[in-house]
Every structure is written in structure tokens, then in C-alpha cells.
Amino acid sequence: MWEPSADTAPEPSLWTKAPAWRRLIVSAILLTAAAVALPFALRSAGPNAATVPPESAQAAPGQAGVPSAGSKESSQACLLIQAPSPVFFGSGTVVSLEDRAAALVHTRQSEARKGGLIDPAYLTNPRVVVRMPNGRYDVFVVPHDMKVFPGDRVTLQGGYRNVNLPCNYVPNLVTSDLGPTSDAAGGVP
């Protein structure tokens, strides 16, 4: 019979010599467990859970996953986080105009962050970067009938939920143009 000699030690297992493989296996097990548990967690969360009612499956192409305005569950299923009415933000100075491609990217990011869609009436409006009195910079939508230029002082209001389209919001808006600031001749920082 063959007996192992003292100088032949057993090879270490894959589990002990491959930490990346070990992390991959543990991660796969955790993700699988989370995927299996998610439906049960959503079901037990009750009526305020992030579920989509059956009526919303037939929504218009731009409104996928958002219940129709006539839906009795629209107020419960809509995930839009937005003020119910506009808030006056004071005034600021227009620093620059935002180009169309950047505006579209920022709009999609804003929609994702807020959990709803921008009011379609404001989707193609020009946008401007405004320096607020506190030094913060923010983007505001300019109404189609208003012209503003870098260096102009403007009044501003915050976005709010559109009462006619419950899962849509009116974005932050420029409400009036007060004209060029006194430092506009020297350039806006």
C-alpha cells in the first residue's frame, strides 16, 4: 500500500489560494439571495410600495411606467418628488447659455433624480446657468417668449408638480429679466 511521505503536503484548495474567485462566488450568492427576496419585500411593503399599476402598462411611449392622469392610483404610484407649488428663489445673474446637448443630458438626469418627467411644454426651452447671491450655480429654464443674455440679472422660481400632469413637473424657471448688471461690462466671472 502506498503511504504519503512527510515531504508531500496536500495542495491548497482553490478557495484558499484564489481570493478574487472567492469574492466572486460570495458576491454571486448575495446577489442571487437579494434577487429572490426582492419580490417578497415589495409585496410586504404595502400600498406605498414602488409598484406599477396595470393601467400604466398601456401608457404613451414617452410615459412608460407612469400612470395616466385619469388613473385613480396615479397619486399613489407616481414617484415624483417635487414641491406642490412654485417657490420664489430671488434673483441671480446669468453666467452662460447651456447648449442643447448638455440641456438634454441634464433634463434626463433631473427626471431620474426627481422620479418623474419634465412638463413637455418646457422640454425644448433654452436653459441658462445662473449664479445665485449665495455663490451657488444652477440651471434654469427660460420661457420661449423671453430673451436673456450672459450678465443679465433675472428673477427665479423653483420647480413644482404640474397639477394637470401629476407625474410631470415644471422645472426651475427664469420669471423675468431685469437687464444687465452693473458689472456686465467688465464680464461675468
Side-chain angles (χ1 to χ4, degrees), residues 99-136:
D99 74 13
R100 186 72 196 122
L104 186 58
V105 168
H106 290 138
T107 297
R108 296 302 174 223
Q109 290 171 343
S110 177
E111 288 175 334
R113 189 174 55 252
K114 292 174 189 281
L117 300 173
I118 190 171
D119 184 319
Y122 297 97
L123 191 57
T124 61
N125 286 51
R127 277 122 170 100
V128 292
V129 177
V130 176
R131 185 181 68 238
M132 308 294 282
N134 64 2
R136 185 174 144 219

Side-chain angles (χ1 to χ4, degrees), residues 54-136:
E55 304 95 285
S56 67
Q58 300 159 359
Q63 302 276 332
V66 178
S68 64
S71 168
K72 63 184 174 182
E73 295 185 42
S74 64
S75 63
Q76 291 178 348
C78 183
L79 301 176
L80 179 63
I81 300 169
Q82 193 65 36
S85 60
V87 175
F88 181 67
F89 276 177
S91 61
T93 303
V94 175
V95 175
S96 65
L97 306 177
E98 189 173 56
D99 74 13
R100 186 72 196 122
L104 186 58
V105 168
H106 290 138
T107 297
R108 296 302 174 223
Q109 290 171 343
S110 177
E111 288 175 334
R113 189 174 55 252
K114 292 174 189 281
L117 300 173
I118 190 171
D119 184 319
Y122 297 97
L123 191 57
T124 61
N125 286 51
R127 277 122 170 100
V128 292
V129 177
V130 176
R131 185 181 68 238
M132 308 294 282
N134 64 2
R136 185 174 144 219

Side-chain angles (χ1 to χ4, degrees), residues 122 125 139-143 155-160 170-176:
Y122 297 97
N125 286 51
V139 176
F140 288 84
V141 173
V142 180
T155 58
L156 311 161
Q157 78 177 21
Y160 57 98
V170 175
N172 292 346
L173 291 173
V174 172
T175 55
S176 65

